[in-house]
Amino acid sequence: MQARFTHRITQLPAPLAAAVAPLLTEHFSGFISQAQLQQLAQQSQMAQDEMLLALLPLAAALANPPISEFYVGAIAIGATGNAYMGANLELNNNALCQTVHAEQSAISHAWLRGEQRIVDLIVNASPCGHCRQFINELVDGEAIRIHLPQQATQPLSYYLPFAFGPKDLNITMPLLSEQQHTLHVESDDELVQLALTQANYSYAPYSGNYSAVVMETHNGQRFAGRYAENAAFNPSMMPLQMALADLLRYNLEAKDISRVVLLESNAGKISLRDATASALASICDVKLEYIQAKPGC
Ligand SMILES: [Zn+2]
């Protein structure tokens, strides 16, 4: 079992801890398939909702909160029934706006694995206003069921009444709906091509800055993050942070990173270049490689 779980697993009911322990190998990155969830529910004799709340200490173990030291864990359940854990991520030596919240981490985890709708979100602390706004950007966001310890389950619309969201800005393909842009770039570099593919899946309806980051580690593993904008702008999730959150879920560290590529459209109204370089400089010494791509026809 990974060391980061050894303390947290003691907070689980004993039958659930025994059932989930075999999953927490060195390869575990916070993903639990629907079939595995069913098996865990059977072995622990728990109803799924109760079990997911009980698993939150494991999600919180994925957190990196050097500033707040407040460990938040979240689990997003997709329409496929699969579970995606996420946790908060804070960057030392940078602005607090570079932070990733646990709910954003879990949702982006689901998005990177191809989920097109989230149906449940389980969190160990009440979602902050920023996260309520981020969740509201998703496909059927207002209907997503929010599960909290010692609280009745309620849809997001209960937590975010009178919401302002993508519909108010005439967006018909909200976050998690299939995006397929047509950026192109001339390069034989595999990392650049991977960043191009991810940027073409990114969500930037407000600025048109379709973009993505791809990181490579010293041992050749690759992690991608896509830009995810928000109708309220500030809760947007940066691609570097999305990729970094994924790398950390795989139990790697910033010092394992050897290359980072940011690719963005040359036709957007904004650029993520400076903010991304700044965030990267606060986590490691790797220099940001920057590529501009052209929109296709
Ligand atoms: Zn939050």
Side-chain angles (χ1 to χ4, degrees), residues 226-297:
R226 306 168 189 154
Y227 188 30
E229 284 192 339
N230 189 277
F233 287 14
N234 299 71
S236 301
M237 187 172 182
M238 298 278 285
L240 179 95
Q241 277 85 334
M242 196 178 292
L244 181 62
D246 203 31
L247 178 139
L248 295 169
R249 281 193 295 269
Y250 276 85
N251 206 18
L252 296 166
E253 298 175 50
K255 68 175 171 54
D256 297 315
I257 299 168
S258 60
R259 282 185 71 192
V260 179
V261 172
L262 166 67
L263 180 144
E264 67 182 359
S265 169
N266 71 356
K269 293 178 181 169
I270 61 166
S271 171
L272 304 183
R273 185 178 190 173
D274 291 347
T276 302
S278 167
L280 182 61
S282 64
I283 59 165
C284 65
D285 292 331
V286 175
K287 192 171 168 359
L288 182 67
E289 298 171 45
Y290 177 70
I291 308 285
Q292 280 195 320
K294 296 178 190 149
C297 38

Side-chain angles (χ1 to χ4, degrees), residues 7 22-23 33 47 57 101 123 138 202 215 247 252 273 279 281 293:
H7 165 63
L23 298 185
S33 70
H101 295 225
V123 199
L138 304 181
S202 69
M215 296 175 168
L247 178 139
L252 296 166
R273 185 178 190 173

Side-chain angles (χ1 to χ4, degrees), residues 87-266:
N88 53 327
L89 162 60
E90 300 166 356
L91 302 189
N92 263 334
N93 308 311
N94 212 308
L96 293 180
C97 65
Q98 300 274 18
T99 302
V100 175
H101 295 225
E103 295 89 328
Q104 292 180 300
S105 170
I107 290 163
S108 63
H109 185 182
W111 190 34
L112 291 171
R113 289 198 183 235
E115 280 288 350
Q116 297 191 332
R117 195 159 65 87
I118 303 294
V119 290
D120 292 280
L121 196 63
I122 301 94
V123 199
N124 66 355
S126 185
C128 72
H130 175 95
C131 286
R132 295 176 196 201
Q133 186 69 43
F134 185 81
I135 301 163
N136 191 51
E137 193 75 23
L138 304 181
V139 171
D140 296 332
E142 66 279 2
I144 293 174
R145 295 185 293 261
I146 308 291
H147 303 253
L148 293 166
Q150 279 102 44
Q151 295 281 338
T153 297
Q154 299 281 2
L156 178 71
S157 56
Y158 171 86
Y159 287 100
L160 192 69
F162 311 107
F164 176 83
K167 284 182 201 147
D168 298 299
L169 295 172
N170 302 316
I171 302 302
T172 55
M173 299 270 290
L175 183 56
L176 296 193
S177 59
E178 193 171 354
Q179 309 288 319
Q180 189 50 266
H181 312 300
T182 55
L183 296 179
H184 62 94
V185 68
E186 311 243 329
S187 171
D188 296 332
D189 187 321
E190 276 186 35
L191 226 51
V192 171
Q193 287 300 328
L194 193 52
L196 177 69
T197 301
Q198 293 296 327
N200 278 328
Y201 294 144
S202 69
Y203 177 77
Y206 308 110
S207 71
N209 187 59
Y210 308 116
S211 48
V213 160
V214 175
M215 296 175 168
E216 189 168 62
T217 62
H218 293 291
N219 65 3
Q221 287 173 275
R222 291 167 178 177
F223 299 91
R226 306 168 189 154
Y227 188 30
E229 284 192 339
N230 189 277
F233 287 14
N234 299 71
S236 301
M237 187 172 182
M238 298 278 285
L240 179 95
Q241 277 85 334
M242 196 178 292
L244 181 62
D246 203 31
L247 178 139
L248 295 169
R249 281 193 295 269
Y250 276 85
N251 206 18
L252 296 166
E253 298 175 50
K255 68 175 171 54
D256 297 315
I257 299 168
S258 60
R259 282 185 71 192
V260 179
V261 172
L262 166 67
L263 180 144
E264 67 182 359
S265 169
N266 71 356

